[in-house]
Amino acid sequence: MKAFTVSKAVTALMLAGLVLLPLYSQLSGNIFILTLFTRIVILALAAASLNLIMGFGGMMSFGHAAYLGIGGYAVGMLAQEGVGSGFIQFPVALAASAIYALVIGALSLRTRGVYFIMITLAFAQMAYYVASGLARYGGDDGLTVYKRSDFSGLINLSNRTQFYYLCLVCLFGVIFLIWRIVNSRFGLVVQGLRSNEQRMQAIGFPAKRYQLVCFVISGMMCGLAGALLANNTDFVSPAVMYWTRSGDLMVMVILGGMGTLFGPVMGAVVYLLLEEFLSQITEYWALIMGPLLLLIVLFGRGGIMGLLGRLNRG
Amino acid sequence: MLLVIEQFLNGLQFGLLLFLLAAGLTLVFGIMDLVNLAHGSLYMMGAYFAATFAAWTGSFLLGALLALGATLILGIVLEMSALRHLYGRDHLDHVLATFGLILFFNEAVRLIWGPAGLALPLPAWLTVPVPILPGIHYPAYRLAIIVVALLVALLLYLGVMRTRIGMLIRAGASNREMIGALGINIKLLYTLVFGLGAALAGLAGLMQAPILTVQIGMGENILILAFVIIVIGGIGSIRGAFLAAIFVGMIDTLGRAFLPNLLRQILSGAAASTAAPALSSMLIYLVMAIVLVVRPEGLFPANRR
């Protein structure tokens, strides 16, 4: 193993940038950039959770945005009912995501390949319609979260910098957890199942059970991102769960580099910055973004991480 | 009774429309092994083309015909310029690339036609109610959709099962190297199949256009329904797509029509009116879940081993 690689250097640079961002925002007086990056960090967390099952587990979930919505609605609904404590809201968000993932995963994992992609997509659409039907909680129009989660004065979520660091700590925590999972015996089994399920089963591993546990963990991580997102926008609506949102998450993972630890973070940063940048140049930014994605698929194998790896080899 | 018959016909009409969409999707997947998320965009383009050409020519039929040709050409151009390079790649690559195409098409439509929706008015002769049974009238246009879609389904079946091109298509689906080795221009064959799928999607879009508003993103909701259909029917199977489409069209339409009343019998009025819309939207996904639990490969899998 080489000690220094280009991708390691770029990753370290990116992480340092994320840590120091509030400082830059304060010094330059650019508050907008902190708001933008809070969103980026939260969606990077969601992308990292998707990467756990997609990159390492080979399970291509096309309905991951559902957890964003479930986590978000858990916070929003509890806030509406007068339960403002984050110590209740966040565990409920995680539990709700876990239960949803357990049911959806148990059903979806009976299928494979394209069927799996489509069934996860369809179930997320179902969650979308359920949220649209919640008349008590805003229905189609969505639900305004009037008060951010209250952590008994430990962290103030209304303070931009504190909230940003909370999101960043969550992101780093999740990535650390993914790193531990991937290198554990459990993670090795899941990765083994990706390459050859039959062989793993023949050795005696209950394949579906391992995959389901991994699926649920990933769902919970994404539910956490959802709870943070609801606090960030002070609003949650069915649109968070719409299937194109799941597509966005997938794009971030693949753009950054599927199956790499920091690829999804890089993908989220690049994708969302690109979106921001292009939308400042032209109102019709998607006209450029769309074909760009096509080109990335055609020529950019392994995403940004893959590209950096090739740079290193010269 | 009257209402039941009318809703049954509505379900059949919606199901047949979904079949046109699902047939193209399953054809392209079954033969080229390509997952095309942008299929819904072709449906949208069909509707926009029809609205535009009908306004130019002043004739609904002429507009529809021109729109059909335009989607066919668009499909062929799309295949030759972009999708051709995706054959043999991972399904995930397909999903990502065609997701990019959706962004592109939505934005292109916004640029060309503006953000507001379009309307495609029907000619007078298609708006009259037609007596179908003594005392029962049904809108002529919806009847026309049923007839056209049934005809197309029949042609498609005969084309795939009885013609030489259809034979090549089926052969290409099971073994693409072999058919290439036999001296068949497989590239051309694929382009044709994709163009056909695009035209089918365009046909569905232009026929739906007078019923709904023509608007950006109209293909996305219905695309998910088409996915549900090919998952239920079994991917790559046209027969499965046909039966599943009718089934889904019926369940969706009848659910929306009768579920609220049914729920009101069990629940209180307020609870029923809250639960009904969500439940009727969910109904087909529940059906899909049940089908997949019983038969993970769908009801009529194409390649039975």
Side-chain angles (χ1 to χ4, degrees):
Chain A
M1 242 181 60
K2 265 183 271 185
F4 175 85
T5 61
V6 179
S7 61
K8 266 186 198 166
V10 172
T11 305
L13 221 66
M14 178 187 69
L15 295 181
L18 285 179
V19 172
L20 294 176
L21 191 91
L23 199 66
Y24 168 77
S25 163
Q26 212 132 51
L27 288 177
S28 65
N30 187 347
I31 296 166
F32 170 72
I33 198 166
L34 191 59
T35 316
L36 172 68
F37 266 86
T38 308
R39 200 174 111 80
I40 291 179
V41 167
I42 294 171
L43 290 176
L45 168 52
S49 78
L50 175 60
N51 181 47
L52 172 64
I53 54 169
M54 197 164 87
F56 295 111
M59 293 173 265
M60 294 164 200
S61 162
F62 203 154
H64 236 57
Y67 305 104
L68 283 181
I70 290 169
Y73 267 100
V75 169
M77 284 169 158
L78 284 172
Q80 171 128 331
E81 300 300 337
V83 183
S85 166
F87 294 118
I88 299 175
Q89 288 178 346
F90 276 67
V92 168
L94 293 184
S97 309
I99 292 168
Y100 175 79
L102 191 67
V103 176
I104 299 310
L107 286 170
S108 309
L109 281 169
R110 297 175 55 85
T111 64
R112 59 190 72 229
V114 196
Y115 280 92
F116 187 83
I117 298 181
M118 288 182 183
I119 191 173
T120 47
L121 174 63
F123 278 126
Q125 267 320 85
M126 194 159 105
Y128 167 82
Y129 286 122
V130 172
S132 307
L134 291 172
R136 185 181 164 78
Y137 301 104
D140 272 329
D141 300 328
L143 178 64
T144 304
V145 184
Y146 288 105
K147 209 168 162 296
R148 291 191 174 182
S149 303
D150 167 32
F151 282 95
S152 330
L154 280 177
I155 331 160
N156 178 9
L157 265 56
S158 302
N159 178 313
R160 279 202 178 84
T161 311
Q162 286 191 26
F163 184 52
Y164 175 81
Y165 276 119
L166 172 71
C167 296
L168 200 62
V169 166
C170 287
L171 174 66
F172 287 168
V174 158
I175 286 179
F176 176 72
L177 204 63
I178 291 175
W179 177 66
R180 290 298 301 263
I181 291 172
V182 167
N183 292 305
S184 70
R185 178 179 175 278
F186 168 80
L188 291 175
V189 172
V190 172
Q191 288 173 79
L193 285 169
R194 181 191 55 192
S195 3
N196 196 333
E197 192 173 323
Q198 277 174 340
R199 189 171 296 171
M200 293 302 285
Q201 245 164 350
I203 309 173
F205 288 107
K208 294 296 173 210
R209 215 176 301 162
Y210 275 86
Q211 284 177 329
L212 186 57
V213 171
C214 195
F215 193 85
V216 171
I217 293 173
S218 162
M220 285 174 77
M221 288 171 173
C222 199
L224 172 65
L228 290 171
L229 198 63
N231 272 301
N232 185 41
T233 43
D234 299 316
F235 179 69
V236 55
S237 82
V240 184
M241 297 196 234
Y242 198 60
W243 71 281
T244 50
R245 292 262 106 210
S246 302
D248 286 337
L249 290 181
M250 228 173 193
V251 168
M252 290 173 202
V253 173
I254 300 169
L255 180 64
M258 202 166 75
T260 61
L261 212 49
F262 288 100
V265 182
M266 199 159 297
V269 171
V270 171
Y271 185 68
L272 293 168
L273 281 184
L274 206 61
E275 189 180 296
E276 191 59 41
F277 174 68
L278 287 177
S279 66
Q280 274 174 16
I281 306 176
T282 163
E283 189 189 337
Y284 304 103
W285 59 272
L287 215 53
I288 308 167
M289 187 71 120
L292 206 60
L293 285 181
L294 191 72
L295 290 177
I296 289 166
V297 171
L298 287 178
F299 302 110
R301 291 219 135 172
I304 298 169
M305 283 304 200
L307 194 74
L308 293 175
R310 282 197 289 279
L311 270 182
N312 205 52
R313 285 193 293 275
Chain B
M1 194 57 213
L2 211 134
L3 185 69
V4 174
I5 294 181
E6 193 179 332
Q7 291 300 340
F8 255 102
L9 282 172
N10 281 348
L12 180 69
Q13 178 253 307
F14 187 46
L16 283 168
L17 203 81
L18 288 174
F19 166 70
L20 294 182
L21 208 61
L25 205 58
T26 209
L27 209 61
V28 166
F29 182 80
I31 291 160
M32 284 115 90
D33 198 29
L34 178 79
V35 183
N36 181 18
L37 289 189
H39 198 67
S41 298
L42 293 164
Y43 165 91
M44 172 179 75
M45 293 310 289
Y48 269 96
F49 283 146
T52 311
F53 289 137
W56 279 356
T57 58
S59 153
F60 176 78
L61 275 187
L62 208 57
L65 274 178
L66 284 174
L68 198 58
T71 357
L72 176 75
I73 293 170
L74 179 67
I76 289 175
V77 170
L78 193 63
E79 197 272 347
M80 296 207 296
S81 61
L83 298 175
R84 166 170 295 186
H85 309 288
L86 290 169
Y87 299 146
R89 299 282 289 263
D90 198 53
H91 285 149
L92 204 57
D93 286 354
H94 301 165
V95 168
L96 192 62
T98 53
F99 184 76
L101 286 176
I102 293 180
L103 291 182
F104 173 78
F105 275 113
N106 281 346
E107 213 61 27
V109 165
R110 202 193 312 276
L111 187 68
I112 299 170
W113 282 282
L118 297 181
L120 176 55
L122 279 175
W125 56 274
L126 274 175
T127 52
V128 288
V130 178
I132 39 168
L133 284 171
I136 297 178
H137 291 262
Y138 194 67
Y141 183 64
R142 285 182 183 262
L143 216 54
I145 293 183
I146 295 181
V147 172
V148 169
L150 275 177
L151 265 176
V152 170
L154 184 70
L155 281 178
L156 197 64
Y157 175 79
L158 291 177
V160 173
M161 300 312 275
R162 296 276 185 273
T163 63
R164 189 177 147 76
I165 297 230
M167 187 186 71
L168 293 178
I169 286 176
R170 279 179 291 139
S174 41
N175 193 333
R176 71 172 84 187
E177 280 85 18
M178 182 57 83
I179 180 149
L182 288 174
I184 306 299
N185 188 343
I186 194 122
K187 263 189 164 171
L188 185 67
L189 187 69
Y190 277 18
T191 308
L192 281 179
V193 171
F194 192 86
L196 177 67
L200 286 174
L203 179 63
L206 71 90
M207 289 207 301
Q208 188 75 312
I211 298 178
L212 301 170
T213 334
V214 181
Q215 57 186 356
I216 296 163
M218 66 186 279
E220 288 157 23
N221 284 321
I222 205 159
L223 176 74
I224 306 287
L225 282 184
F227 277 155
V228 168
I229 286 164
I230 65 174
V231 166
I232 291 179
I235 293 175
S237 157
I238 296 213
R239 190 171 63 110
F242 184 76
L243 295 173
I246 307 261
F247 186 53
V248 165
M250 287 281 181
I251 288 184
D252 196 57
T253 310
L254 295 182
R256 274 172 216 283
F258 299 117
L259 207 62
N261 274 327
L262 218 63
L263 282 180
R264 225 160 275 145
Q265 312 265 309
I266 315 165
L267 300 169
S268 70
S273 54
T274 317
L279 198 60
S280 44
S281 304
M282 281 170 59
L283 207 54
I284 54 158
Y285 300 105
L286 289 176
V287 170
M288 183 190 71
I290 294 166
V291 167
L292 282 176
V293 169
V294 184
R295 312 252 326 227
E297 298 282 292
L299 293 177
F300 309 94
N303 312 308
R304 235 168 280 161
R305 279 180 198 123

mmCIF file of all heavy atoms in Angstrom, chain A residues 122-149:
data_model
loop_
_atom_site.group_PDB
_atom_site.id
_atom_site.type_symbol
_atom_site.label_atom_id
_atom_site.label_comp_id
_atom_site.label_asym_id
_atom_site.label_seq_id
_atom_site.Cartn_x
_atom_site.Cartn_y
_atom_site.Cartn_z
ATOM 1 N N ALA A 122 -41.071 1.466 -6.170
ATOM 2 C CA ALA A 122 -42.521 1.475 -6.031
ATOM 3 C C ALA A 122 -42.942 1.651 -4.571
ATOM 4 O O ALA A 122 -43.885 2.382 -4.274
ATOM 5 C CB ALA A 122 -43.109 0.192 -6.598
ATOM 6 N N PHE A 123 -42.227 1.020 -3.659
ATOM 7 C CA PHE A 123 -42.587 1.163 -2.248
ATOM 8 C C PHE A 123 -42.364 2.589 -1.770
ATOM 9 O O PHE A 123 -43.129 3.101 -0.954
ATOM 10 C CB PHE A 123 -41.802 0.181 -1.382
ATOM 11 C CG PHE A 123 -42.404 -1.192 -1.369
ATOM 12 C CD1 PHE A 123 -41.660 -2.302 -1.686
ATOM 13 C CD2 PHE A 123 -43.740 -1.359 -1.041
ATOM 14 C CE1 PHE A 123 -42.225 -3.567 -1.686
ATOM 15 C CE2 PHE A 123 -44.314 -2.616 -1.040
ATOM 16 C CZ PHE A 123 -43.549 -3.725 -1.362
ATOM 17 N N ALA A 124 -41.310 3.223 -2.268
ATOM 18 C CA ALA A 124 -41.068 4.610 -1.877
ATOM 19 C C ALA A 124 -42.193 5.499 -2.400
ATOM 20 O O ALA A 124 -42.633 6.419 -1.715
ATOM 21 C CB ALA A 124 -39.721 5.088 -2.409
ATOM 22 N N GLN A 125 -42.666 5.209 -3.611
ATOM 23 C CA GLN A 125 -43.804 5.960 -4.151
ATOM 24 C C GLN A 125 -45.020 5.785 -3.262
ATOM 25 O O GLN A 125 -45.805 6.690 -3.051
ATOM 26 C CB GLN A 125 -44.157 5.465 -5.551
ATOM 27 C CG GLN A 125 -43.544 6.164 -6.722
ATOM 28 C CD GLN A 125 -43.445 7.650 -6.626
ATOM 29 O OE1 GLN A 125 -42.493 8.176 -6.060
ATOM 30 N NE2 GLN A 125 -44.409 8.375 -7.173
ATOM 31 N N MET A 126 -45.154 4.573 -2.717
ATOM 32 C CA MET A 126 -46.271 4.296 -1.823
ATOM 33 C C MET A 126 -46.178 5.190 -0.590
ATOM 34 O O MET A 126 -47.172 5.800 -0.168
ATOM 35 C CB MET A 126 -46.217 2.823 -1.424
ATOM 36 C CG MET A 126 -47.448 2.306 -0.797
ATOM 37 S SD MET A 126 -47.486 0.524 -0.940
ATOM 38 C CE MET A 126 -47.096 0.059 0.710
ATOM 39 N N ALA A 127 -44.979 5.284 -0.024
ATOM 40 C CA ALA A 127 -44.780 6.148 1.141
ATOM 41 C C ALA A 127 -45.109 7.592 0.778
ATOM 42 O O ALA A 127 -45.713 8.331 1.566
ATOM 43 C CB ALA A 127 -43.336 6.046 1.636
ATOM 44 N N TYR A 128 -44.738 7.967 -0.448
ATOM 45 C CA TYR A 128 -45.035 9.318 -0.940
ATOM 46 C C TYR A 128 -46.541 9.577 -0.928
ATOM 47 O O TYR A 128 -47.010 10.619 -0.487
ATOM 48 C CB TYR A 128 -44.449 9.446 -2.347
ATOM 49 C CG TYR A 128 -44.891 10.645 -3.143
ATOM 50 C CD1 TYR A 128 -44.285 11.876 -2.956
ATOM 51 C CD2 TYR A 128 -45.891 10.537 -4.098
ATOM 52 C CE1 TYR A 128 -44.679 12.974 -3.696
ATOM 53 C CE2 TYR A 128 -46.290 11.620 -4.837
ATOM 54 C CZ TYR A 128 -45.682 12.839 -4.645
ATOM 55 O OH TYR A 128 -46.070 13.924 -5.380
ATOM 56 N N TYR A 129 -47.309 8.598 -1.401
ATOM 57 C CA TYR A 129 -48.758 8.777 -1.437
ATOM 58 C C TYR A 129 -49.359 8.786 -0.042
ATOM 59 O O TYR A 129 -50.332 9.502 0.218
ATOM 60 C CB TYR A 129 -49.411 7.692 -2.303
ATOM 61 C CG TYR A 129 -49.191 7.913 -3.760
ATOM 62 C CD1 TYR A 129 -48.563 6.961 -4.553
ATOM 63 C CD2 TYR A 129 -49.590 9.102 -4.357
ATOM 64 C CE1 TYR A 129 -48.339 7.179 -5.895
ATOM 65 C CE2 TYR A 129 -49.379 9.336 -5.699
ATOM 66 C CZ TYR A 129 -48.755 8.367 -6.468
ATOM 67 O OH TYR A 129 -48.534 8.603 -7.782
ATOM 68 N N VAL A 130 -48.806 7.969 0.848
ATOM 69 C CA VAL A 130 -49.298 7.977 2.224
ATOM 70 C C VAL A 130 -49.124 9.372 2.813
ATOM 71 O O VAL A 130 -50.043 9.946 3.396
ATOM 72 C CB VAL A 130 -48.544 6.942 3.089
ATOM 73 C CG1 VAL A 130 -48.921 7.106 4.550
ATOM 74 C CG2 VAL A 130 -48.875 5.535 2.622
ATOM 75 N N ALA A 131 -47.930 9.964 2.617
ATOM 76 C CA ALA A 131 -47.666 11.294 3.160
ATOM 77 C C ALA A 131 -48.607 12.321 2.535
ATOM 78 O O ALA A 131 -49.103 13.217 3.216
ATOM 79 C CB ALA A 131 -46.213 11.687 2.918
ATOM 80 N N SER A 132 -48.864 12.173 1.223
ATOM 81 C CA SER A 132 -49.774 13.111 0.563
ATOM 82 C C SER A 132 -51.179 13.008 1.131
ATOM 83 O O SER A 132 -51.951 13.963 1.075
ATOM 84 C CB SER A 132 -49.837 12.829 -0.943
ATOM 85 O OG SER A 132 -48.558 12.813 -1.487
ATOM 86 N N GLY A 133 -51.507 11.840 1.681
ATOM 87 C CA GLY A 133 -52.855 11.633 2.200
ATOM 88 C C GLY A 133 -53.017 12.047 3.651
ATOM 89 O O GLY A 133 -54.112 11.990 4.204
ATOM 90 N N LEU A 134 -51.923 12.448 4.298
ATOM 91 C CA LEU A 134 -51.990 12.803 5.717
ATOM 92 C C LEU A 134 -52.573 14.208 5.876
ATOM 93 O O LEU A 134 -51.848 15.174 6.074
ATOM 94 C CB LEU A 134 -50.592 12.771 6.342
ATOM 95 C CG LEU A 134 -49.924 11.403 6.489
ATOM 96 C CD1 LEU A 134 -48.489 11.577 6.941
ATOM 97 C CD2 LEU A 134 -50.688 10.554 7.487
ATOM 98 N N ALA A 135 -53.890 14.317 5.794
ATOM 99 C CA ALA A 135 -54.527 15.635 5.819
ATOM 100 C C ALA A 135 -54.190 16.385 7.107
ATOM 101 O O ALA A 135 -53.988 17.599 7.101
ATOM 102 C CB ALA A 135 -56.040 15.474 5.672
ATOM 103 N N ARG A 136 -54.115 15.659 8.214
ATOM 104 C CA ARG A 136 -53.838 16.291 9.507
ATOM 105 C C ARG A 136 -52.451 16.933 9.514
ATOM 106 O O ARG A 136 -52.214 17.909 10.221
ATOM 107 C CB ARG A 136 -53.942 15.225 10.600
ATOM 108 C CG ARG A 136 -53.784 15.778 12.000
ATOM 109 C CD ARG A 136 -53.869 14.664 13.028
ATOM 110 N NE ARG A 136 -53.357 15.113 14.312
ATOM 111 C CZ ARG A 136 -54.029 15.871 15.158
ATOM 112 N NH1 ARG A 136 -55.243 16.250 14.866
ATOM 113 N NH2 ARG A 136 -53.491 16.250 16.299
ATOM 114 N N TYR A 137 -51.533 16.358 8.734
ATOM 115 C CA TYR A 137 -50.167 16.873 8.723
ATOM 116 C C TYR A 137 -49.836 17.540 7.388
ATOM 117 O O TYR A 137 -48.766 17.342 6.827
ATOM 118 C CB TYR A 137 -49.172 15.753 9.053
ATOM 119 C CG TYR A 137 -49.442 15.152 10.405
ATOM 120 C CD1 TYR A 137 -50.066 13.916 10.527
ATOM 121 C CD2 TYR A 137 -49.092 15.847 11.552
ATOM 122 C CE1 TYR A 137 -50.330 13.384 11.781
ATOM 123 C CE2 TYR A 137 -49.363 15.324 12.807
ATOM 124 C CZ TYR A 137 -49.987 14.096 12.918
ATOM 125 O OH TYR A 137 -50.254 13.582 14.148
ATOM 126 N N GLY A 138 -50.792 18.274 6.862
ATOM 127 C CA GLY A 138 -50.496 19.099 5.695
ATOM 128 C C GLY A 138 -50.771 18.475 4.345
ATOM 129 O O GLY A 138 -50.845 19.170 3.353
ATOM 130 N N GLY A 139 -50.899 17.154 4.302
ATOM 131 C CA GLY A 139 -51.169 16.496 3.027
ATOM 132 C C GLY A 139 -50.147 16.854 1.969
ATOM 133 O O GLY A 139 -48.946 16.861 2.237
ATOM 134 N N ASP A 140 -50.651 17.190 0.789
ATOM 135 C CA ASP A 140 -49.793 17.548 -0.342
ATOM 136 C C ASP A 140 -48.908 18.757 -0.065
ATOM 137 O O ASP A 140 -47.807 18.872 -0.581
ATOM 138 C CB ASP A 140 -50.671 17.899 -1.555
ATOM 139 C CG ASP A 140 -51.005 16.676 -2.369
ATOM 140 O OD1 ASP A 140 -50.175 15.761 -2.391
ATOM 141 O OD2 ASP A 140 -52.088 16.636 -2.967
ATOM 142 N N ASP A 141 -49.454 19.688 0.731
ATOM 143 C CA ASP A 141 -48.761 20.963 0.925
ATOM 144 C C ASP A 141 -47.557 20.852 1.842
ATOM 145 O O ASP A 141 -46.730 21.758 1.887
ATOM 146 C CB ASP A 141 -49.730 22.006 1.509
ATOM 147 C CG ASP A 141 -50.907 22.232 0.582
ATOM 148 O OD1 ASP A 141 -50.693 22.116 -0.633
ATOM 149 O OD2 ASP A 141 -52.019 22.493 1.064
ATOM 150 N N GLY A 142 -47.475 19.777 2.589
ATOM 151 C CA GLY A 142 -46.351 19.611 3.495
ATOM 152 C C GLY A 142 -46.621 20.216 4.858
ATOM 153 O O GLY A 142 -47.661 20.826 5.104
ATOM 154 N N LEU A 143 -45.659 20.036 5.736
ATOM 155 C CA LEU A 143 -45.839 20.359 7.140
ATOM 156 C C LEU A 143 -44.722 21.304 7.569
ATOM 157 O O LEU A 143 -43.544 21.009 7.379
ATOM 158 C CB LEU A 143 -45.768 19.048 7.938
ATOM 159 C CG LEU A 143 -45.875 19.077 9.449
ATOM 160 C CD1 LEU A 143 -47.231 19.583 9.866
ATOM 161 C CD2 LEU A 143 -45.677 17.667 9.980
ATOM 162 N N THR A 144 -45.106 22.432 8.116
ATOM 163 C CA THR A 144 -44.092 23.364 8.604
ATOM 164 C C THR A 144 -43.673 22.957 10.014
ATOM 165 O O THR A 144 -44.516 22.663 10.859
ATOM 166 C CB THR A 144 -44.645 24.797 8.629
ATOM 167 O OG1 THR A 144 -45.105 25.119 7.327
ATOM 168 C CG2 THR A 144 -43.583 25.784 9.045
ATOM 169 N N VAL A 145 -42.364 22.910 10.240
ATOM 170 C CA VAL A 145 -41.850 22.589 11.569
ATOM 171 C C VAL A 145 -41.540 23.930 12.249
ATOM 172 O O VAL A 145 -40.543 24.565 11.948
ATOM 173 C CB VAL A 145 -40.576 21.725 11.484
ATOM 174 C CG1 VAL A 145 -40.106 21.321 12.872
ATOM 175 C CG2 VAL A 145 -40.834 20.493 10.629
ATOM 176 N N TYR A 146 -42.433 24.348 13.146
ATOM 177 C CA TYR A 146 -42.296 25.692 13.708
ATOM 178 C C TYR A 146 -41.152 25.799 14.706
ATOM 179 O O TYR A 146 -40.602 26.856 14.927
ATOM 180 C CB TYR A 146 -43.610 26.129 14.369
ATOM 181 C CG TYR A 146 -44.661 26.427 13.347
ATOM 182 C CD1 TYR A 146 -45.708 25.541 13.109
ATOM 183 C CD2 TYR A 146 -44.581 27.580 12.569
ATOM 184 C CE1 TYR A 146 -46.660 25.799 12.149
ATOM 185 C CE2 TYR A 146 -45.534 27.851 11.605
ATOM 186 C CZ TYR A 146 -46.568 26.957 11.390
ATOM 187 O OH TYR A 146 -47.499 27.228 10.427
ATOM 188 N N LYS A 147 -40.803 24.677 15.334
ATOM 189 C CA LYS A 147 -39.744 24.745 16.320
ATOM 190 C C LYS A 147 -38.753 23.614 16.056
ATOM 191 O O LYS A 147 -39.154 22.465 15.867
ATOM 192 C CB LYS A 147 -40.356 24.592 17.724
ATOM 193 C CG LYS A 147 -39.563 25.308 18.789
ATOM 194 C CD LYS A 147 -40.363 25.377 20.085
ATOM 195 C CE LYS A 147 -39.433 25.685 21.245
ATOM 196 N NZ LYS A 147 -38.442 24.627 21.469
ATOM 197 N N ARG A 148 -37.467 23.952 16.006
ATOM 198 C CA ARG A 148 -36.471 22.912 15.769
ATOM 199 C C ARG A 148 -36.323 22.026 16.994
ATOM 200 O O ARG A 148 -36.671 22.425 18.109
ATOM 201 C CB ARG A 148 -35.130 23.562 15.436
ATOM 202 C CG ARG A 148 -35.173 24.241 14.067
ATOM 203 C CD ARG A 148 -33.818 24.658 13.595
ATOM 204 N NE ARG A 148 -33.927 25.168 12.223
ATOM 205 C CZ ARG A 148 -32.897 25.581 11.510
ATOM 206 N NH1 ARG A 148 -31.683 25.540 12.011
ATOM 207 N NH2 ARG A 148 -33.066 26.029 10.278
ATOM 208 N N SER A 149 -35.779 20.824 16.778
ATOM 209 C CA SER A 149 -35.618 19.869 17.870
ATOM 210 C C SER A 149 -34.855 20.501 19.027
ATOM 211 O O SER A 149 -33.862 21.193 18.828
ATOM 212 C CB SER A 149 -34.860 18.642 17.371
ATOM 213 O OG SER A 149 -35.540 18.078 16.292
#
